[in-house]
Amino acid sequence: MDGQFIRELRLKYIQNPPEGMTAALVRNMTDGDLLDMHYFLTEDDDLDDDPEEGFYIF
């Protein structure tokens, strides 16, 4: 993984920590934990293109 990307992610989450976390917790996370957290916080972002939300049966 690109070290620059990880540094930018860490800075982003230190400046604006996710709910329930502090900047100190983010600062002390391992790179792997930081990437996992970022993945789970953004995993549904690609699904936001769907104009209607809800439960669908196909």
Side-chain angles (χ1 to χ4, degrees):
M1 181 57 53
D2 182 23
Q4 180 65 27
F5 176 70
I6 293 173
R7 284 189 292 276
E8 289 172 6
L9 269 183
R10 191 174 305 279
L11 183 59
K12 171 186 171 182
Y13 289 120
I14 286 172
Q15 292 174 347
N16 188 17
E19 185 176 337
M21 297 196 75
T22 64
L25 287 173
V26 174
R27 190 176 299 111
N28 293 318
M29 292 174 89
T30 65
D31 292 350
D33 289 342
L34 181 68
L35 291 171
D36 287 346
M37 178 183 75
H38 176 69
Y39 171 79
F40 287 111
L41 290 173
T42 61
E43 71 180 324
D44 291 335
D45 286 355
D46 60 338
L47 300 177
D48 290 340
D49 295 337
D50 188 12
E52 294 185 30
E53 293 184 23
F55 180 75
Y56 300 95
I57 298 176
F58 295 98

